[in-house]
Amino acid sequence: MNLTNNFNFFEPAIFELRLYVAGGTSESASALRNLKEICEINLKGRYRIEVIDLLLNPQLAKGDQIIAIPTLIKKIPLPLKKIIGDLSDTDKVLVGLNIKQVKKNES
Amino acid sequence: MKVNFPGMSYQKEIKSLKEKIKEYEQVIFAVQNKQAFAVRLEGFSENKIIPLINTNQNYQLLLESMNEGAATLSTLGVIYYCNKRFSEMLEISNDEIIGSSIYTYIKSEDALNFNKILKLGKEIKKSEVFMLKTKKNQFISLNLSLTSYELKGVDVISLVATDLTLENVRLKESEILAKKLELAIKSKDEFISIASHELKTPLTSLLLQAQIQSRLILRNDPKAFDEIRIKLSAQQVEQLVLKLNRLIDDMLDISRINSGKLSFKKEKMDLEKLTLNIIERMKPQFLSAKYLEVKVSTSEAIGIWDSQRIEQVIVNLLSNSIKYGAGKQVSVSLSVKNKMARFSVSDLGGGITKEDQSKIFGRFQRIGDVTKVEGLGLGLYIAQQIIEAHNGKIWVESEPGKGSTFIFEIPTE
């Protein structure tokens, strides 16, 4: 058991992510697909994704002050983090989620 | 004891501002790199989500130019997208439709049925007629074709709406057109049968005349060379040929009118002189139809008209009064008032019913017992075309049992 693994031990088991999209467009779908792919590879079994369609529930945008769509919010673990864009840049997403190191160590 | 550290509060604010700036930088980066496809604006009467130009512009263009309504729905019936045509069909703006539920527009009686289709989930491939409510609370009948798709992990339902009311209107229009065509073909068939009959009658008489003559010559019959008989026969032949000529002229005129080639040679002419001339020439016809009296009252009428064509009209009107006037009195009058020459022919015949009055200026129209009256039924139609080409008008005033008056007016200038 090395240091990094010890560090992982203190990490919360579940990532709670919230993805804001607008409408069932192909762009919304591709953002969700990108996120799912990243999570499956890097957080398998340790993540929960909540998709909020702002066309369906526009009032839900207020709490997280959404400016651009899509926006991904990492609610848990803290600190809260926002990642703006279609999540096509995997590295950016991993840095944003603070799991870049996790990926490095696991591989 | 409370100690205030103003510097700390500033630091907190600066930190939050820095975070905000970083976030906006991210937004700008995402927009610039086409990684964001919509922005959300706050602070207006309501928050708006504004889509940014996306890479699917070509498809969008296609969808927007479609004559069918198109929309995408969530599996719960929320409208994610709709094209211009769909919003036109419902007479509701695009903005209002997007994000609303399809059930807002479906007639409540149809909602259950629609829900059944949506519940099929991935299996949806249906085409059914639904009544949808427009902004003005009117219902329109739309055929909705619904198909479900999985778009990169998300179930989306595509909807294509065809306006059946419009379709029905088109169907009705084509039905009316078909009926008109049918009538046109029927009247043309009738015309051909009338025309062949009309042409055949004088031809038969001509043939008979010729046959008699050749038989007499063959038999060396002195009657063949009887001057009086020959003269009479020649007169009959002339009449028959003239009649054939008139019929053929009428048919030619019709084909010229149909192809817009009826031409006019307008020159200064004296209508009074022409009228009196025609009446004089037609005296034998009046007499043979047992007309004892033709009342004529004319005044000078000079204008720039096609004298041959006007003559054609007058001869036609006079021939009609001979045909339909039952041998009673015929009156002809010509006057000028307000720079309009007015010609009229009245007879005391059977008259024309209101229904027939509207038909007689049509093509191939013969009213009453058509078997008893000869002619192609083209005369009044041609007359109308001629008078209208002179910027005039022609009409009939009649009452059944009280005779008819045909009138035409043409400007003298």
Side-chain angles (χ1 to χ4, degrees):
Chain A
M1 188 185 278
N2 59 36
L3 195 71
T4 332
N5 274 341
N6 273 338
F7 182 70
N8 272 346
F9 182 74
F10 294 102
E11 263 189 350
I14 305 288
F15 270 65
E16 281 192 22
L17 307 171
R18 184 182 277 173
L19 178 66
Y20 285 94
V21 293
T25 60
S26 57
E27 291 94 337
S28 296
S30 80
L32 183 61
R33 188 202 52 191
N34 290 338
L35 179 62
K36 275 184 176 170
E37 253 178 41
I38 292 165
C39 290
E40 272 304 290
I41 293 168
N42 299 285
L43 297 166
K44 201 170 168 72
R46 296 195 286 134
Y47 69 95
R48 222 181 276 149
I49 300 171
E50 180 190 10
V51 179
I52 290 181
D53 187 337
L54 288 179
L55 289 183
L56 265 165
N57 302 299
Q59 72 284 358
L60 292 183
K62 263 202 175 143
D64 287 320
Q65 293 192 333
I66 301 303
I67 304 163
I69 293 154
T71 292
L72 175 69
I73 302 227
K74 174 175 72 93
K75 286 169 68 189
I76 292 171
L78 287 171
L80 201 106
K81 264 253 168 163
K82 265 188 204 174
I83 300 157
I84 292 159
D86 62 2
L87 313 179
S88 54
D89 184 342
T90 309
D91 272 355
K92 199 176 124 191
V93 178
L94 290 175
V95 170
L97 292 176
N98 289 338
I99 50 175
K100 180 93 178 174
Q101 298 98 321
V102 177
K103 191 189 168 196
K104 239 183 220 164
N105 291 322
E106 275 179 355
S107 56
Chain B
M1 193 181 152
K2 230 176 177 178
V3 183
N4 272 330
F5 291 104
M8 249 179 91
S9 127
Y10 283 136
Q11 271 181 351
K12 219 175 168 184
E13 219 163 278
I14 286 166
K15 198 187 163 200
S16 123
L17 275 173
K18 270 185 178 166
E19 267 169 22
K20 266 254 150 76
I21 288 167
K22 216 175 140 191
E23 192 184 333
Y24 279 114
E25 277 172 358
Q26 274 194 56
V27 169
I28 290 164
F29 179 85
V31 170
Q32 276 177 343
N33 292 286
K34 291 182 180 146
Q35 288 175 5
F37 54 84
V39 287
R40 183 176 156 274
L41 293 181
E42 230 173 88
F44 294 93
S45 59
E46 56 185 311
N47 299 328
K48 277 259 168 224
I49 288 167
I50 299 171
L52 303 169
I53 295 167
N54 57 43
T55 48
N56 292 338
Q57 253 178 321
N58 287 338
Y59 302 112
Q60 199 111 18
L61 204 67
L62 189 71
L63 281 166
E64 291 304 330
S65 58
M66 267 168 70
N67 204 26
E68 264 78 36
T72 50
L73 311 176
S74 79
T75 45
L76 292 173
V78 173
I79 300 170
Y80 286 150
Y81 161 83
C82 79
N83 70 349
K84 213 173 104 210
R85 185 77 190 96
F86 190 72
S87 81
E88 278 171 5
M89 282 171 169
L90 299 181
E91 292 166 39
I92 300 171
S93 76
N94 212 292
D95 286 4
E96 211 175 312
I97 293 175
I98 289 177
S100 65
S101 166
I102 186 83
Y103 292 106
T104 324
Y105 314 109
I106 287 179
K107 197 177 184 181
S108 46
E109 286 95 318
D110 287 358
L112 203 70
N113 198 18
F114 193 86
N115 192 32
K116 264 187 199 161
I117 295 178
L118 285 198
K119 274 190 174 161
L120 294 170
K122 290 185 201 306
E123 308 296 315
I124 298 172
K125 198 167 172 56
K126 280 256 174 193
S127 183
E128 265 180 49
V129 177
F130 289 95
M131 295 296 281
L132 272 80
K133 196 166 64 184
T134 67
K135 184 128 193 171
K136 291 171 192 156
N137 273 330
Q138 284 167 340
F139 285 97
I140 50 166
S141 177
L142 294 181
N143 182 71
L144 302 184
S145 295
L146 298 154
T147 316
S148 70
Y149 291 99
E150 202 188 300
L151 266 183
K152 295 160 187 170
V154 180
D155 284 332
V156 182
I157 295 152
S158 80
L159 175 155
V160 176
T162 314
D163 192 343
L164 291 180
T165 23
L166 210 71
E167 206 85 325
N168 287 342
V169 168
R170 277 195 205 123
L171 210 67
K172 257 179 212 152
E173 271 172 2
S174 64
E175 265 172 25
I176 290 167
L177 205 68
K179 242 178 215 152
K180 270 189 187 164
L181 268 173
E182 207 179 298
L183 271 174
I185 291 168
K186 206 181 145 202
S187 74
K188 217 154 211 178
D189 282 349
E190 263 171 30
F191 171 71
I192 288 168
S193 109
I194 291 167
S196 357
H197 177 255
E198 289 293 324
L199 291 172
K200 197 132 194 196
T201 317
L203 273 176
T204 315
S205 300
L206 278 174
L207 187 67
L208 215 66
Q209 293 275 357
Q211 280 172 343
I212 291 169
Q213 186 65 15
S214 29
R215 254 180 242 151
L216 287 175
I217 293 168
L218 268 177
R219 274 193 264 142
N220 254 334
D221 196 318
K223 270 193 221 160
F225 311 102
D226 181 62
E227 202 178 315
I228 298 168
R229 209 200 59 83
I230 289 174
K231 203 176 164 190
L232 204 71
S233 171
Q235 271 176 0
Q236 277 176 340
V237 168
E238 192 185 344
Q239 288 297 323
L240 289 166
V241 171
L242 282 174
K243 195 173 174 182
L244 273 172
N245 204 34
R246 267 201 311 276
L247 287 169
I248 291 163
D249 276 347
D250 273 3
M251 291 166 83
L252 282 173
D253 278 349
I254 281 296
S255 88
R256 283 192 197 111
I257 289 167
N258 282 347
S259 57
K261 282 179 190 155
L262 193 66
S263 62
F264 294 90
K265 216 166 77 191
K266 292 178 189 173
E267 282 166 342
K268 195 172 177 183
M269 60 162 278
D270 185 341
L271 187 54
E272 188 185 24
K273 209 170 140 188
L274 180 74
T275 306
L276 295 172
N277 230 322
I278 295 167
I279 294 170
E280 188 59 35
R281 261 191 288 140
M282 285 180 79
K283 238 178 198 166
Q285 278 159 270
F286 276 105
L287 284 171
S288 67
K290 290 165 193 157
Y291 282 88
L292 297 175
E293 198 181 358
V294 177
K295 268 191 169 179
V296 183
S297 122
T298 56
S299 56
E300 192 182 56
I302 290 167
I304 296 166
W305 304 304
D306 183 327
S307 69
Q308 268 189 11
R309 291 295 183 188
I310 296 294
E311 178 177 337
Q312 200 179 342
V313 175
I314 293 173
V315 168
N316 178 265
L317 294 181
L318 289 176
S319 309
N320 279 348
S321 69
I322 292 171
K323 256 194 256 173
Y324 298 99
K328 295 174 193 167
Q329 181 184 281
V330 168
S331 317
V332 177
S333 119
L334 174 68
S335 60
V336 179
K337 204 181 167 186
N338 295 332
K339 291 175 182 169
M340 290 293 271
R342 181 189 174 106
F343 177 93
S344 76
V345 189
S346 302
D347 66 57
L348 295 172
I352 306 160
T353 62
K354 274 265 172 309
E355 199 199 335
D356 284 339
Q357 283 179 31
S358 60
K359 287 191 208 156
I360 52 174
F361 290 100
R363 263 185 301 176
F364 315 138
Q365 293 292 338
R366 295 193 307 173
I367 55 162
D369 187 353
V370 292
T371 55
K372 282 186 189 159
V373 179
E374 59 177 31
L376 294 174
L378 290 174
L380 285 175
Y381 175 73
I382 296 170
Q384 190 182 40
Q385 302 295 318
I386 293 168
I387 294 301
E388 280 175 1
H390 282 83
N391 300 319
K393 55 179 181 171
I394 184 166
W395 71 97
V396 62
E397 288 168 3
S398 179
E399 243 181 87
K402 289 186 180 171
S404 316
T405 303
F406 282 86
I407 305 148
F408 74 76
E409 278 184 355
I410 41 176
T412 56
E413 279 177 7

